[in-house]
Amino acid sequence: MKFARAVWKILVAIKDGLVLILLLFFFGLLSLALSMKPQAGRVQDGALALTIDGPVVEERSRIEPTALLLGGAVRHQFVERDLVRAIEGAANDGRIHALTLDLEAFGGGSQVSLARIGAAIDKVRHAGKPVLVRAMLYGDGTYLLAAHASEVWVDPLGGVMLRGPGGTILFYHDLLDRLKIKAHVFKVGTYKSAVEPYVRSNLSPEAKTAETEVYTAIWHDWLDNVKRARPKADLALVTGDPVKWLHASGDDAAKAAQSAGLVDKIGDKPMFEKRVAELVGADKTDGYKMTRLGAYLADIGNPTPGKAIAVVTVAGDIVDGKAGPGAAGGDRIAALIDKASDSGNYSALVVRVNSPGGSVTGAERIRAAIARFKAKGLPIAVSMGSLAASGGYWVSTPADRIFAQPDTITGSIGIFAIIPSFEDALAKIGVGTDSIRTTPLSGQPDPVGGLTPEMSAVLQSEIDMGYRRFVGLVATSRHQTPEAIDKIAQGRVWDGATALQNGLVDEMGGLDQAVAWAAKRAGANAWHPVFLADSPSGFSGFVQDVLSGDNSDSGDTSDSSAMAGDLAGRVASAQFALAGQFSADLDRLLGGQGAQAYCLECAGLMNPADAPQSNSAGIAGAGRAIGRAPWLLWLLRAGH
């Protein structure tokens, strides 16, 4: 009886603790909502002030309340098209006399997105309005925006570090050999390097050549963009001999940036605000007269003339199921497309792709839904963002016309699968195995007893067939023979400009051009895009509204650990990107993900160099992957 009472007390204590945690969580959210700065009632004469204290994305990730309850960090996210709409609106708005960008806690973005925003900034300058930008430190992405400003300010303790695309890839072949773990790889494609970390100790010559060519093309596009915006900037010195450049200014990074023409003014935030106040008028609360992004977007609205053109976004890794936004869940996106198709409200469909691929079955769900939309006689256009490779190209194959940017990464037409087995590792620690089979495939694939030759042959046959289907889809889409497509496939990646030359895309252009083409193909003289998305509801919707706001300047919901304070801290924090890579690689090996159409080469461009991720994200991800196989920790210890 005493034991039962003790158990009951424990259960009651657990219940009370959970109730207390939920109450604290609720009131914390309520306090946050009440403390947020309210939207301005009107746009006041002055500056449009954009504090971009988070990443620029295609669509906001869904925020799960449970993640917050468990201590997950959330950063503001800024949708590219919202920023462009606001900036372009400011160009011809008589109430807006200047544009300011605070990039102190900028979270990065794809090169394609940032170039698009830069073009919008140019429209403000061409309208004769000053554009002022400030930051502590400028990296590749931050400076791609800043270069378009009329005045670039840097903090006296800050500077500019331009690194270019590229970085380190982890390879696990020798570790797997040491642990006696077999990575059974099934692939098609000479250049399909996503499997190389498990079967090699470095990149193959073919993969290295292909990746170097693509990264060089992307870097040259970056340089061309910045040179056009800042023709007097000495980029050759800054990127060619950074040590000489810094030494010439006494190792003062801020002065070095000014001497090279990268920045115009050196000053802290109060000095910056004083300068803007001279242009647009002072304000006791904010330093200068301003209107923030949320208030301005609400004021200018979103006109809806003419016919509606559906736009569906495929962003992030393609996975099975209903995941996302933040990931491209095949079932979720297919359902959005089918719902739009069944409604009869849309005259055309534009698919915005910004994905390195992923699950073959997830990609096929999306492709099939696009094909069903097309079967109704409606035009289909694909707009490729920064990444539209592997599975990202798979979903593009039903398009009537494919648009890409010069610095888009596409292609990577190939398929692979990885299955680990541990028979040798178990034997090493004294665990034996034996099998009883009624057929060659009994118990297969067997992670503890190994794969039979027949199972290996079946799996390779499946991958071969998947590759032939992939090539066939591309050949039909591009009106070429499978043999011709195979020559430019084989898992090789291409930059957008080269993809135009080899016929994988039809035209250089962004999302606006793709929507305009689809509308004209549908016979529309006037049109407006409608972005298909699930609306968060209930408590999740409340959390989304509170934490995804872009009107707050406080950054209270940001993950402050993601942005180190000075140059040395920023560089040091980049080491945690390797933890994220390790997490993803381990998950790919152990996650049982099936056939994959994924572009490993794209990884170097997915996390902007000037926006390192929080260390907690990479470490937590690695922990989740290892947690799927606790034996790995034991083997790592036993391997010493």
Side-chain angles (χ1 to χ4, degrees):
M1 196 65 174
K2 290 182 178 180
F3 176 75
R5 283 198 297 268
V7 172
W8 177 252
K9 288 181 180 180
I10 292 173
L11 293 175
V12 170
I14 293 173
K15 182 263 296 181
D16 290 343
L18 290 174
V19 170
L20 178 61
I21 291 173
L22 288 172
L23 285 173
L24 290 172
F25 178 62
F26 173 78
F27 285 112
L29 282 177
L30 185 61
S31 174
L32 179 62
L34 294 174
S35 65
M36 289 180 68
K37 293 183 179 180
Q39 295 279 1
R42 62 181 179 82
V43 175
Q44 68 169 323
D45 283 7
L48 174 61
L50 305 181
T51 300
I52 310 180
D53 55 351
V56 175
V57 297
E58 292 283 347
E59 59 180 357
R60 289 191 181 95
S61 300
R62 178 168 296 166
I63 297 172
E64 298 296 341
T66 52
L68 295 175
L69 187 62
L70 296 174
V74 177
R75 305 196 68 198
H76 294 150
Q77 296 179 338
F78 296 83
V79 178
E80 173 202 329
R81 62 179 178 272
D82 289 343
L83 292 169
V84 170
R85 183 160 62 93
I87 295 170
E88 290 184 342
N92 300 311
D93 191 329
R95 300 166 298 179
I96 303 298
H97 306 297
L99 171 67
T100 66
L101 291 88
D102 189 329
L103 304 178
E104 183 76 33
F106 180 58
S110 73
Q111 188 163 313
V112 168
S113 292
L114 301 184
R116 176 69 184 90
I117 297 170
I121 293 173
D122 288 341
K123 292 183 179 181
V124 177
R125 292 189 62 184
H126 293 159
K129 300 179 180 182
V131 179
L132 299 90
V133 60
R134 68 165 300 271
M136 170 71 73
L137 296 167
Y138 292 94
D140 296 2
T142 321
Y143 196 75
L144 188 57
L145 285 181
H148 293 266
S150 49
E151 285 188 22
V152 180
W153 285 63
V154 67
D155 191 276
L157 298 179
V160 178
M161 175 177 280
L162 305 179
R163 291 183 276 185
T168 297
I169 299 172
L170 297 175
F171 289 83
Y172 309 103
H173 175 262
D174 294 344
L175 174 63
L176 295 177
D177 274 356
R178 181 182 179 189
L179 298 177
K180 304 298 182 184
I181 298 174
K182 293 182 179 179
H184 302 271
V185 170
F186 309 93
K187 70 158 189 167
V188 178
T190 303
Y191 298 92
K192 200 62 186 172
S193 61
V195 300
E196 292 190 352
Y198 312 103
V199 296
R200 293 180 57 90
S201 299
N202 52 19
L203 283 168
S204 66
E206 296 84 359
K208 195 157 193 173
T209 296
E211 292 176 29
T212 299
E213 289 180 1
V214 169
Y215 277 40
T216 300
I218 300 300
W219 179 234
H220 284 166
D221 286 334
W222 186 97
L223 291 171
D224 290 343
N225 188 310
V226 174
K227 285 176 182 177
R228 287 194 301 270
R230 289 230 147 202
K232 295 182 179 180
D234 192 350
L235 294 175
L237 174 62
V238 174
T239 61
D241 195 341
V243 176
K244 177 182 177 181
W245 165 54
L246 286 171
H247 285 347
S249 296
D251 297 322
D252 186 319
K255 290 183 179 179
Q258 188 177 43
S259 68
L262 298 176
V263 305
D264 303 295
K265 304 285 186 179
I266 299 175
D268 58 14
K269 187 173 183 179
M271 294 174 64
F272 176 82
E273 292 177 346
K274 182 179 179 181
R275 165 60 179 156
V276 181
E278 293 173 355
L279 298 172
V280 301
D283 182 271
K284 293 180 179 180
T285 302
D286 295 312
Y288 57 91
K289 294 179 179 179
M290 67 173 66
T291 301
R292 297 196 181 276
L293 176 63
Y296 191 67
L297 288 174
D299 180 84
I300 64 176
N302 201 0
T304 57
K307 293 184 177 180
I309 307 300
V311 181
V312 67
T313 303
V314 182
D317 287 3
I318 297 175
V319 298
D320 296 317
K322 298 181 179 181
D331 290 340
R332 176 182 64 85
I333 295 174
L336 288 173
I337 296 170
D338 286 336
K339 183 179 179 180
S341 177
D342 294 340
S343 72
N345 295 332
Y346 303 101
S347 301
L349 173 67
V350 175
V351 185
R352 175 66 170 180
V353 182
N354 193 22
S355 172
S359 164
V360 169
T361 53
E364 174 58 18
R365 293 274 197 282
I366 298 170
R367 186 208 66 81
I370 297 170
R372 289 191 291 271
F373 196 107
K374 184 178 182 178
K376 295 190 174 183
L378 299 174
I380 307 289
V382 162
S383 168
M384 292 181 170
S386 181
L387 306 171
S390 211
Y393 197 91
W394 184 297
V395 303
S396 303
T397 54
D400 298 306
R401 195 160 189 85
I402 296 177
F403 292 78
Q405 300 281 19
D407 38 9
T408 296
I409 293 182
T410 189
S412 192
I413 299 167
I415 295 179
F416 70 91
I418 305 172
I419 299 178
S421 67
F422 313 100
E423 63 273 25
D424 293 343
L426 293 172
K428 179 181 178 181
I429 60 175
V431 178
T433 61
D434 201 353
S435 303
I436 299 174
R437 306 188 192 280
T438 54
T439 75
L441 302 184
S442 294
Q444 290 292 309
D446 186 351
V448 296
L451 275 63
T452 63
E454 293 84 358
M455 186 73 251
S456 296
V458 167
L459 290 172
Q460 185 60 53
S461 177
E462 178 189 4
I463 297 301
D464 289 342
M465 181 59 198
Y467 178 73
R468 289 196 296 272
R469 175 169 172 74
F470 198 169
V471 169
L473 289 171
V474 178
T476 300
S477 172
R478 310 316 300 163
H479 307 292
Q480 297 189 37
T481 65
E483 293 76 18
I485 294 299
D486 182 60
K487 292 179 180 179
I488 57 174
Q490 293 290 324
R492 182 161 184 167
V493 292
W494 306 95
D495 62 275
T498 306
L500 177 64
Q501 295 174 8
N502 62 30
L504 287 178
V505 304
D506 298 298
E507 187 174 336
M508 291 288 100
L511 179 60
D512 291 343
Q513 288 74 27
V515 172
W517 179 90
K520 290 180 179 179
R521 183 74 176 267
N525 294 320
W527 61 87
H528 66 277
V530 177
F531 291 86
L532 308 179
D534 295 311
S535 298
S537 58
F539 191 58
S540 294
F542 170 72
V543 174
Q544 185 83 26
D545 290 341
V546 171
L547 295 182
S548 291
D550 49 21
N551 194 51
S552 172
D553 188 37
S554 63
D556 291 339
T557 60
S558 300
D559 176 10
S560 59
S561 65
M563 302 300 295
D566 58 14
L567 186 60
R570 183 73 62 87
V571 173
S573 66
Q575 64 184 301
F576 293 109
L578 290 177
Q581 182 184 331
F582 174 73
S583 166
D585 292 342
L586 192 59
D587 195 53
R588 194 169 293 118
L589 177 64
L590 304 175
Q593 297 174 333
Q596 296 284 297
Y598 188 83
C599 169
L600 177 69
E601 298 90 332
C602 302
L605 296 174
M606 292 175 67
N607 294 317
D610 56 330
Q613 300 298 307
S614 168
N615 57 355
S616 60
I619 294 173
R624 287 193 300 271
I626 294 175
R628 294 183 175 181
W631 45 264
L632 184 58
L633 293 175
W634 199 97
L635 286 172
L636 286 168
R637 290 194 294 268
H640 288 293

